Amino acid sequence: MTIIRNHTRRVNSVVENVLQLSRPGSAQPQLIGLHDWLGKFMDEFVHSGTCNPEQVSLSVNPADLDIYMDPSQLHQVVWNLCQNAVHHTGTEAMPVRIQLLGGRQENSRAPYLDVIDNGAEIDPAMTDQIFEPFFTTKSSGTGLGLYIAREICESNQARLAYQTDTAAGNCFRITFPDTVEQAVSALA
Ligand SMILES: Nc1ncnc2c1ncn2[C@@H]1O[C@H](COP(=O)(O)OP(=O)(O)OP(=O)(O)O)[C@@H](O)[C@H]1O
Ligand SMILES: [Mg+2]
């Protein structure tokens, strides 16, 4: 039963990914208080059984940082990134740790969210390919997770990139539009 259930889940996730590709919903950006939103996201992620509460931490500075994005699409992007952290890093000896860090970029002041893990760094020769559709190093992966996450960000006038200048682990940064005018400009 466990084997059947696991394979059914996998088939379902492939179908959902492909459907998402063929009919991406139009973005409805909204003002989101990042700290509270991430708190709820973290609870949901932990309750899904993907990891334990002590494996995920959250810090947003300034604490009242607001961003503009479609909430359900932001949910899918952050979920994909956190699932990647769990699936592609972490061993029994060294369980994955995920940090969700929100802030403003020093130069542009644009708000961002970093999803950081403590896993082995992605091979620099691979960091461009990981966003390509169907690129995967996992036997059971579709290789669509990062591609879809990046497409969703773009339709919300946000950017998703792998950060190369981090001290350790892997960091994926979502940079959000700064103003509601920028956020809705794609919809005009
Ligand atoms: N946090 C991470 N740590 C290490 N490698 C990663 C991480 N995130 C992504 N990768 C690499 O990027 C590849 C592409 O990721 P992507 O999410 O697009 O597909 P996937 O996770 O392999 O499959 P799926 O998302 O369908 O389950 C992964 O196979 C993995 O090699
Ligand atoms: Mg993935």
Side-chain angles (χ1 to χ4, degrees):
M1 280 307 286
T2 306
I3 292 168
I4 292 171
R5 204 165 44 224
N6 287 344
H7 281 286
T8 311
R9 280 206 190 110
R10 189 179 119 55
V11 169
N12 190 49
S13 89
V14 173
V15 171
E16 276 177 3
N17 277 345
V18 172
L19 282 177
Q20 171 82 33
L21 269 187
S22 54
R23 51 169 165 75
S26 61
Q28 306 284 331
Q30 286 176 24
L31 188 70
I32 298 173
L34 193 59
H35 187 274
D36 289 358
W37 188 91
L38 284 173
K40 291 190 188 111
F41 174 89
M42 255 173 59
D43 284 349
E44 200 188 321
F45 191 70
V46 165
H47 277 109
S48 74
T50 319
C51 62
N52 298 320
E54 64 278 8
Q55 288 176 270
V56 195
S57 65
L58 159 65
S59 165
V60 178
N61 184 21
D64 61 355
L65 186 67
D66 288 327
I67 54 125
Y68 295 100
M69 184 142 170
D70 182 310
S72 68
Q73 296 192 346
L74 177 63
H75 188 280
Q76 184 169 5
V77 172
V78 184
W79 194 276
N80 283 6
L81 295 175
C82 289
Q83 268 197 327
N84 274 351
V86 171
H87 290 154
H88 300 294
T89 66
T91 56
E92 254 180 55
M94 193 167 95
V96 65
R97 296 199 75 87
I98 304 174
Q99 284 176 274
L100 302 172
L101 297 186
R104 279 191 186 278
Q105 296 203 134
E106 255 176 48
N107 44 2
S108 69
R109 310 296 300 148
Y112 66 80
L113 169 62
D114 284 346
V115 178
I116 304 170
D117 65 53
N118 61 338
E121 276 171 48
I122 298 174
D123 180 348
M126 248 172 51
T127 53
D128 284 335
Q129 283 169 285
I130 58 176
F131 289 97
E132 286 173 10
F134 306 110
F135 178 86
T136 182
T137 54
K138 195 174 73 171
S139 58
S140 60
T142 64
L144 288 172
L146 283 179
Y147 174 73
I148 289 171
R150 187 175 253 184
E151 291 280 304
I152 290 175
C153 285
E154 280 173 15
S155 72
N156 281 269
Q157 301 295 95
R159 281 194 316 277
L160 172 63
Y162 178 75
Q163 299 292 103
T164 48
D165 54 353
T166 46
N170 293 299
C171 172
F172 287 85
R173 174 167 291 191
I174 308 166
T175 310
F176 300 99
D178 213 1
T179 61
V180 69
E181 288 77 19
Q182 279 174 27
V184 297
S185 64
L187 309 175

